[in-house]
Amino acid sequence: MNFKLHIWRQENAKTKGRFETYKVRDISPDCSFLEMLDILNEQIISENSKSGNQNSKFPIAHPVCFDNDCREGICGMCGLYINGRPHGNDDGVTTCQLHMRKFKDGDEIWIEPWRAKPFPVICDLVVDRSAFDKIIQSGGYVSVTTGGVPDANSIPIPKRHADMAMDAAECIGCGACVAACKNASAMLFVGAKVSHLALLPQGQVEASERVKKMVCKMDELGFGSCTNTYACEAECPKQIKRQNIARLNREWICQIFGGNHKPQD
Amino acid sequence: MILDSKIPEGPLSEKWTNYKTNQKLVNPANKRKLDIIVVGTGLAGASAAASLGALGFNVDIFCIQDSPRRAHSIAAQGGINAAKNYQNDGDSVERLFRDTIKGGDYRAREANVYRLAEVSGDIIDQCVAQGVPFARDYGGLLDNRSFGGAQVSRTFYARGQTGQQLLLGAYGALSREINRGTVKLHTRSEMEELVLVKNNDGVECARGIIVRNLVSGKLERYSAHAVVIATGGYGNVYYLSTNAMNSNGSAAWICHRKGAFFANPCYVQIHPTCIPVHGDYQSKLTLMSESLRNDGRIWVPKKIEDSEAIRAGQKKANDIAEEDRDYYLERRYPAFGNLVPRDVASRAAKERCDAGYGVGPTGLAVFLDFSDAIKRLGINVVKQKYGNLFQMYQKITDENPYETPMMIYPAVHYTMGGLWVDYELQTTIPGLFAAGEANFSDHGANRLGASALMQGLADGYFVLPYTLQNYLSNQITIGHITTDTPEFDEAERSVLEREERLMNIKGDKTVDFFHKELGHIMWEKVGMSRNEASLTEAATMIDELEKEFWQSVNVPGTIESFNPEMEKALRLADYFELARLITADALHRKESCGGHFRTESQTEEGETKRDDENFMYVAAWEYQGHSKPETLHKEELNYEHIKIATRNYKN
């Protein structure tokens, strides 16, 4: 398969970026999207080394930078905005799991980084997502130190609640929800963590404090407001549900007016 | 040098208690005066940093990704072992210990493994307290499943994402300490050098590291009273593996160059259930969890003409009648069936494929079939248990595993070898510790499924917080260590020199070209089965390829910039040396054991044949300079408690 790629190139956070056009040929349909970019980068390096790094064919000698790591859809490191969709035109996958068989031969593909104020560009398609870490650091955990905890089976947890907690905990922190949102809201990310812990007895002790701290931190870091368009849910590679946003709102209201944090079915 | 493993006195079951009772402690006011560096934020690193920070030490933690939550522990699928005996099926600390020693083919240190089994239950308690959503049954209690090499169900799991949930638990604990200010986080930072400084007795101790800031490309200095390496294994030497793209062996190798012994490098685990290789552009192999072997049955056709027809695309798996299928694991190992340990399952797959019975377009694949399980349990139960794995398989291969059997083949997965450590997890360099996959200590020559998560968290939560204190107790008067010294200058200069040397080659080949070539040599010659001829050949080929690398690699861009090609080149330079040591170790160990299969040493049935008389030791290698043969030191393995036997999974 052959493709024409329009890729966002930006040297660093301070410089202005622009689209550059590249062509790749003879790509196998079984190739993953990132492997296709690997092939392009090999071409860029080889072409430039032949011409002493002075080639007009590739105006930017440097290969295209993009974040990636596990390449099996779980680490959350990769994330490209492909033809206007975070992680591209397949549902429930990360960019590394998107395969070229999902495209048509000869397609033009536009590749951009996540675009959101709290995620500044580092280089080309790589953005800084440390804002997500900061939100978690503000309270996205159960405050236990190592040791001195009760036996694991001492508190039975209804399977239904454990399953719902797991549904929320599957979030990989890739940032697609923020990139998909017109307001760059992080409500789905925060909602997933708040829900996961509020659904479990271990997390209920700190539920009020947690939701307050995490929401305040989210606002402070410049994430936008939620206007319930659910673009986040539609683009989430782990298909985290919008019910988690509802649960976040419920927890928020509980902590203002007082109410019980016990999960509601 | 005589290797002192510092195993405490007393009967096996009391050693750890004795150690803890008699070790030295540091009082809370003094803990604040002590700095610790932790490299790596996977299960071992994150849990160690969180626990040490909570104790009151000053911790600096480093990771190469943009967030500590991305470490490759996140990708572990199946589960974590613990001797809780919640299932009332006869499990105990003793049995988990015995299974692990036996699974490791009697090449692990008894005392370490016993301690691992002893703390395994505490790990589960800790994780549940953190809010890890383990699978539960309808009564609300924890559920278990079974894994290879065990006849009990002791594996705790969170769907097919156990590693993710455990890591997020540790990441939460770490985040809490970062918020409290006891731990400082450094992301996109890669360790490039270890700094040694002489103490008052003239002994060189680990006192800091040089780090490449991966965003700016600039080098940074960090000092501490102790350094913990928790950077995982070196499986990516093979290029194609189930490791993440950025997982690498450099931090451990840097320590080795500085004097830390490297133990049992030839013990590499090849995982039996991975999605087969399909093209030369492929960048990694994807694991299909071992848990699938609970319900999936592995087979190839009985008739070679059926295999040929499948390879040619004329027949499909479902066209082969039940009586024409060879469930070779069930046939060869009736007692354990499809749940034999990984090394046994991998070799059995290779044996069938080499004999011409393999399926798939390349003939290098076997079937993993769920049709019986779907009939027995119903499609919904199968979906609930393995749904995400089935979905992942379908996304990658474009085939529906609910309708047609999966195709799988072995791939490099885990490295049992690593930095040599004593009972305290301290390397041969004072003040340098290694935890998790980066050390060699607990899995012998083969690791059992669901034991890596157990070991990583055991080291981080329950071992290092004790043993590090014992080391640090005599460091309290030293005070903060400055980085403005000749030792730090020299370390930084050597990294810069290395970077400049790579940058200035300006050859015509890419880093990946060389990495793929190296991987090819390693897989073909130092892979699932090895022999004297293949290893000797590999040694020469590695030398030649390394020479060519240093002459014609092309690293584009500049040193002081965001430059992933430079990162890859630095790591690959170390892989050549590592590959050479793996090969030398494999060549010297003339026996077969666990994941190390020498074709010269096998039984009539093609099983591994150990040579306990000559090889019952840990091979710890000492670096002697680039491309010079390393010096072998032996730590004899004394089995006081367990009865040594031939591994038998047949009856």
Side-chain angles (χ1 to χ4, degrees):
Chain A
M1 302 172 88
N2 302 327
F3 301 101
K4 191 172 180 185
L5 310 174
H6 303 280
I7 302 180
W8 185 260
R9 304 300 309 257
Q10 183 173 342
E11 209 177 324
N12 56 47
K14 286 169 200 139
T15 53
K16 236 178 141 181
R18 65 178 192 276
F19 281 103
E20 289 288 344
T21 305
Y22 301 88
K23 279 181 183 154
V24 284
R25 291 182 193 290
D26 300 326
I27 300 290
S28 156
D30 289 332
C31 201
S32 77
F33 196 84
L34 297 184
E35 284 166 352
M36 184 271 295
L37 288 181
D38 287 342
I39 293 171
L40 170 69
N41 275 344
E42 291 292 286
Q43 274 177 31
I44 294 178
I45 300 167
S46 301
E47 285 296 328
N48 283 309
S49 69
K50 268 185 225 154
S51 57
N53 293 333
Q54 299 282 320
N55 195 296
S56 57
K57 195 167 157 195
F58 296 115
I60 298 173
H62 207 282
V64 179
C65 293
F66 58 94
D67 262 337
N68 71 102
D69 202 19
C70 78
R71 297 214 179 180
E72 52 186 278
I74 193 75
C75 75
M77 188 93 176
C78 66
L80 301 176
Y81 209 77
I82 302 162
N83 288 342
R85 285 188 68 183
H87 297 302
N89 60 337
D90 194 2
D91 293 327
V93 297
T94 54
T95 305
C96 63
Q97 289 178 305
L98 176 67
H99 284 76
M100 298 316 291
R101 66 177 87 94
K102 292 282 168 188
F103 294 85
K104 285 200 285 287
D105 189 21
D107 268 358
E108 278 193 47
I109 307 175
W110 296 79
I111 309 170
E112 297 168 75
W114 285 170
R115 301 219 188 261
K117 196 176 116 200
F119 293 161
V121 171
I122 290 175
C123 179
D124 297 341
L125 304 168
V126 177
V127 298
D128 179 357
R129 281 169 295 194
S130 52
F132 268 10
D133 281 338
K134 288 183 187 132
I135 294 176
I136 298 292
Q137 285 156 19
S138 72
Y141 42 76
V142 178
S143 298
V144 288
T145 44
T146 308
V149 297
D151 182 86
N153 259 352
S154 61
I155 310 172
I157 301 173
K159 182 170 163 51
R160 197 181 138 67
H161 294 164
D163 285 348
M164 286 196 300
M166 181 63 197
D167 288 341
E170 286 187 18
C171 167
I172 56 173
C174 64
C177 48
V178 174
C181 178
K182 63 191 167 78
N183 299 333
S185 168
M187 284 288 272
L188 192 63
F189 173 77
V190 177
K193 187 46 72 184
V194 165
S195 288
H196 157 210
L197 295 174
L199 283 161
L200 299 172
Q202 289 84 0
Q204 279 156 20
V205 180
E206 296 168 283
S208 293
E209 277 300 296
R210 179 180 308 116
V211 69
K212 201 161 70 187
K213 286 178 183 163
M214 290 181 76
V215 169
C216 291
K217 184 53 90 177
M218 169 181 92
D219 290 345
E220 178 197 318
L221 291 166
F223 290 99
S225 301
C226 175
T227 48
N228 297 295
T229 66
Y230 309 131
C232 50
E233 182 189 44
E235 299 296 3
C236 174
K238 295 294 145 182
Q239 298 175 319
I240 307 283
K241 294 198 174 63
R242 60 173 180 259
Q243 279 77 356
N244 293 299
I245 297 180
R247 215 174 278 121
L248 168 64
N249 288 329
R250 180 176 175 276
E251 291 293 320
W252 176 257
I253 289 167
C254 280
Q255 66 84 21
I256 294 175
F257 298 109
N260 88 60
H261 292 281
K262 288 266 160 60
Q264 307 287 301
D265 288 342
Chain B
M1 181 170 177
I2 296 160
L3 287 169
D4 179 8
S5 50
K6 294 197 210 151
I7 295 168
E9 293 296 313
L12 190 61
S13 60
E14 291 165 24
K15 283 181 193 295
W16 183 230
T17 311
N18 286 347
Y19 177 89
K20 288 191 289 185
T21 313
N22 298 317
Q23 70 160 112
K24 288 182 215 140
L25 297 172
V26 180
N27 89 359
N30 283 330
K31 285 192 183 104
R32 288 195 289 272
K33 296 181 200 157
L34 293 165
D35 306 322
I36 301 169
I37 283 172
V38 179
V39 188
T41 59
L43 287 177
S47 60
S51 306
L52 292 162
L55 283 172
F57 294 105
N58 301 312
V59 183
D60 278 281
I61 190 164
F62 299 82
C63 68
I64 53 177
Q65 298 88 352
D66 70 332
S67 163
R69 66 182 292 158
R70 317 262 187 236
H72 200 51
S73 303
I74 200 117
Q77 298 168 353
I80 175 165
N81 287 331
K84 281 285 200 183
N85 195 28
Y86 282 164
Q87 303 303 321
N88 192 32
D89 57 0
D91 200 9
S92 61
V93 168
E94 174 73 23
R95 202 173 276 277
L96 173 55
F97 158 73
R98 277 194 227 161
D99 284 347
T100 307
I101 290 273
K102 179 186 173 190
D105 217 354
Y106 304 90
R107 289 293 175 266
R109 196 188 282 151
E110 263 190 341
N112 285 55
V113 177
Y114 196 89
R115 175 178 63 191
L116 176 67
E118 226 179 320
V119 303
S120 65
D122 298 343
I123 298 171
I124 304 303
D125 299 342
Q126 187 66 35
C127 295
V128 167
Q130 289 168 344
V132 170
F134 282 121
R136 289 176 182 268
D137 57 31
Y138 285 97
L141 301 181
L142 293 162
D143 192 20
N144 291 112
R145 55 188 175 201
S146 191
F147 256 57
Q151 287 172 312
V152 295
S153 291
R154 63 162 73 99
T155 306
F156 295 79
Y157 64 100
R159 291 190 191 144
Q161 294 116 288
T162 317
Q164 178 196 29
Q165 293 310 315
L166 296 179
L167 184 65
L168 292 181
Y171 163 73
L174 177 68
S175 297
R176 173 174 177 246
E177 293 307 317
I178 294 168
N179 191 44
R180 293 175 67 217
T182 58
V183 178
K184 264 199 242 59
L185 172 66
H186 308 267
T187 58
R188 296 196 192 263
S189 298
E190 184 154 13
M191 170 175 163
E192 299 294 354
E193 190 55 286
L194 176 73
V195 184
L196 302 181
V197 179
K198 279 189 181 152
N199 67 9
N200 292 338
D201 302 327
V203 181
E204 286 198 311
C205 301
R207 285 285 185 241
I209 59 173
I210 305 291
V211 163
R212 178 179 161 88
N213 178 327
L214 299 181
V215 175
S216 67
K218 290 196 167 71
L219 299 178
E220 296 168 0
R221 303 172 178 198
Y222 295 91
S223 67
H225 298 90
V227 176
V228 178
I229 301 294
T231 50
Y234 48 88
N236 266 345
V237 165
Y238 290 79
Y239 189 71
L240 284 181
S241 79
T242 64
N243 285 207
M245 302 303 289
N246 297 307
S247 302
N248 68 82
S250 283
W253 191 257
I254 286 160
C255 297
H256 179 56
R257 271 206 305 260
K258 284 276 167 152
F261 291 3
F262 208 98
N264 299 335
C266 78
Y267 294 161
V268 174
Q269 178 164 82
I270 317 264
H271 197 294
T273 53
C274 301
I275 299 176
V277 177
H278 53 79
D280 58 4
Y281 51 82
Q282 204 169 346
S283 56
K284 80 155 268 157
L285 296 171
T286 305
L287 176 77
M288 287 284 108
S289 167
E290 179 153 314
S291 61
L292 293 171
R293 287 199 272 145
N294 268 292
D295 290 308
R297 297 177 72 196
I298 295 177
W299 63 277
V300 291
K302 258 184 200 161
K303 298 181 196 148
I304 209 156
E305 54 273 23
D306 281 341
S307 293
E308 281 160 2
I310 290 173
R311 288 204 290 272
Q314 292 151 353
K315 272 189 182 177
K316 294 221 170 358
N318 296 338
D319 300 336
I320 311 297
E322 184 62 27
E323 61 271 19
D324 291 330
R325 299 176 176 195
D326 176 15
Y327 296 94
Y328 57 86
L329 288 176
E330 296 167 32
R331 167 169 61 79
R332 284 177 69 177
Y333 309 101
F336 281 69
N338 291 296
L339 279 173
V340 290
R342 292 173 176 175
D343 58 326
V344 178
S346 290
R347 272 194 298 277
K350 180 174 158 58
E351 187 276 329
R352 282 293 81 192
C353 292
D354 288 352
Y357 293 91
V359 295
T362 57
L364 292 177
V366 299
F367 290 123
L368 175 61
D369 197 335
F370 287 87
S371 47
D372 278 2
I374 291 170
K375 260 184 243 149
R376 182 163 46 89
L377 305 166
I379 195 158
N380 283 331
V381 175
V382 173
K383 230 177 223 171
Q384 225 174 41
K385 279 172 121 167
Y386 310 112
N388 69 314
L389 297 168
F390 278 44
Q391 187 216 13
M392 188 156 85
Y393 182 85
Q394 189 164 10
K395 289 288 180 198
I396 294 171
T397 62
D398 213 17
E399 279 184 2
N400 183 350
Y402 293 102
E403 286 162 11
T404 173
M406 285 185 182
M407 280 195 279
I408 51 156
Y409 197 67
V412 172
H413 179 54
Y414 184 90
T415 53
M416 282 73 69
L419 290 171
W420 184 90
V421 289
D422 59 21
Y423 189 73
E424 298 188 298
L425 304 185
Q426 187 163 210
T427 67
T428 49
I429 297 175
L432 179 69
F433 294 74
E437 192 181 351
N439 74 29
F440 87 104
S441 73
D442 295 355
H443 306 298
N446 173 59
R447 176 175 68 74
L448 290 182
S451 284
L453 303 185
M454 172 172 67
Q455 187 223 338
L457 290 180
D459 288 358
Y461 283 135
F462 298 112
V463 180
L464 281 176
Y466 291 89
T467 61
L468 256 172
Q469 254 189 97
N470 192 45
Y471 172 79
L472 290 170
S473 62
N474 65 2
Q475 311 275 318
I476 48 180
T477 54
I478 291 177
H480 183 71
I481 297 159
T482 169
T483 56
D484 196 13
T485 63
E487 289 91 346
F488 277 91
D489 292 346
E490 167 56 27
E492 190 178 313
R493 195 188 50 78
S494 75
V495 178
L496 195 62
E497 256 177 32
R498 203 172 162 78
E499 289 177 337
E500 279 168 353
R501 196 173 152 211
L502 284 165
M503 183 55 77
N504 292 337
I505 297 169
K506 292 277 174 261
D508 57 358
K509 296 198 175 78
T510 62
V511 178
D512 279 358
F513 166 83
F514 288 103
H515 198 169
K516 281 180 187 175
E517 287 292 302
L518 178 66
H520 193 68
I521 298 171
M522 294 301 286
W523 179 247
E524 293 299 327
K525 316 267 177 203
V526 200
M528 251 186 293
S529 66
R530 303 120 182 225
N531 56 52
E532 182 143 357
S534 77
L535 292 166
T536 317
E537 213 180 322
T540 321
M541 290 169 86
I542 294 164
D543 285 348
E544 281 167 8
L545 190 68
E546 188 191 30
K547 219 162 118 190
E548 199 190 335
F549 168 78
W550 283 104
Q551 281 163 1
S552 53
V553 76
N554 183 303
V555 181
T558 56
I559 291 174
E560 289 205 349
S561 66
F562 187 86
N563 192 344
E565 289 296 313
M566 173 55 94
E567 296 164 28
K568 287 197 283 187
L570 284 162
R571 294 168 195 162
L572 183 58
D574 294 333
Y575 280 141
F576 284 114
E577 290 195 272
L578 243 165
R580 198 155 32 229
L581 187 63
I582 296 171
T583 310
D585 187 42
L587 195 56
H588 116 279
R589 193 170 281 279
K590 292 190 163 58
E591 64 163 355
S592 295
C593 58
H596 171 62
F597 188 68
R598 285 282 299 255
T599 55
E600 300 98 324
S601 180
Q602 54 179 308
T603 64
E604 274 167 30
E605 293 114 5
E607 307 293 342
T608 51
K609 199 166 137 199
R610 290 199 323 260
D611 177 358
D612 289 344
E613 205 168 308
N614 294 307
F615 290 99
M616 199 149 201
Y617 59 78
V618 174
W621 299 89
E622 184 183 7
Y623 193 73
Q624 301 293 329
H626 183 263
S627 78
K628 295 208 177 86
E630 301 207 2
T631 308
L632 174 64
H633 301 265
K634 295 177 184 175
E635 180 201 339
E636 299 294 337
L637 290 167
N638 301 315
Y639 289 98
E640 294 168 357
H641 188 83
I642 208 161
K643 207 173 120 246
I644 298 160
T646 302
R647 238 171 18 147
N648 175 4
Y649 292 101
K650 290 179 195 289
N651 44 45

